[in-house]
Amino acid sequence: WAGSAEARARLRYIHPMPRIHVREFTVPESAMDVNRHVNNLEYLRWMQDVAVEHTEARGWDRARYLAAGVAWVVRTHTIEYLRPAFAGDELALATWVADLRPRSSLRKYLFWRRGDAHVVARAETLWVLVDARTGRACALPGELRDSFEVVPDDEEVLRLLRDGQPAPHGKAGRP
């Protein structure tokens, strides 16, 4: 995913909405484990990649974080696998900020399979902002906090994945 220009060229972004970042992709054969479904580590890698894409889309690339003297580190990852995914599956991976705290951010993810319109996996990561020099947790700068709008529940995300349309601002549809 991250890395080759060829891999990036195969990606399709379905909505440039700043609140929810969605990437569509075809699961490659290289993502399979010995059981012939997606390896658990692939989900984690895809989560990290799409989180970086989202923050970059909001104007916070690596250079900006370095200039601000801060970096994100992971405190916890949680992944709930609901259905297996296989090579050739067309997936949409959505990510959004579900909560902004004084020193951390809860980011959520949904893996959606278009073929059968099912959520394959749900996940979340608790990211902690640290001072790049000391490695100690620090407060989110106002300009960083202002760059992300919180999406507090999954309903708006499910509507976007299912219908291709976001809910009217602040009004999520029922799944």
Side-chain angles (χ1 to χ4, degrees):
W1 228 7
S4 82
E6 179 184 322
R8 286 190 186 121
R10 289 192 305 260
L11 300 174
R12 296 173 307 281
Y13 298 94
I14 66 169
H15 206 283
M17 187 177 181
R19 291 164 43 89
I20 304 164
H21 185 81
V22 181
R23 175 198 260 192
E24 287 188 336
F25 63 100
T26 302
V27 175
E29 181 66 34
S30 62
M32 297 301 98
D33 64 15
V34 296
N35 297 313
R36 306 306 303 151
H37 56 67
V38 174
N39 185 302
N40 298 342
L41 292 175
E42 293 299 319
Y43 285 96
L44 192 57
R45 185 171 62 86
W46 294 335
M47 289 163 53
Q48 183 167 319
D49 289 349
V50 78
V52 169
E53 287 175 8
H54 188 212
T55 194
E56 287 175 349
R58 300 306 308 139
W60 284 87
D61 62 8
R62 182 181 212 159
R64 187 165 181 192
Y65 281 111
L66 288 173
V70 295
W72 290 106
V73 296
V74 172
R75 172 144 312 148
T76 60
H77 287 298
T78 304
I79 304 173
E80 179 183 13
Y81 303 101
L82 303 170
R83 292 173 177 81
F86 304 98
D89 281 353
E90 295 288 328
L91 297 183
L93 171 52
T95 187
W96 65 99
V97 174
D99 189 21
L100 282 173
R101 302 170 187 169
R103 297 173 185 264
S104 63
S105 171
L106 181 65
R107 176 175 289 279
K108 291 191 175 185
Y109 312 82
L110 278 179
F111 291 83
W112 174 266
R113 185 170 38 227
R114 293 240 176 259
D116 61 6
H118 279 104
V119 175
V120 173
R122 297 176 185 271
E124 62 183 47
T125 301
L126 181 59
W127 293 90
V128 176
L129 193 69
V130 298
D131 181 297
R133 287 175 294 114
T134 66
R136 297 181 70 100
C138 63
L140 274 67
E143 63 183 339
L144 175 59
R145 180 178 292 282
D146 293 344
S147 296
F148 293 91
E149 189 174 344
V150 170
V151 178
D153 63 56
D154 298 0
E155 290 182 21
E156 182 177 348
V157 181
L158 287 167
R159 178 182 166 143
L160 176 64
L161 293 170
R162 187 181 58 240
D163 303 336
Q165 295 294 319
H169 188 68
K171 296 181 181 178
R174 302 301 288 166

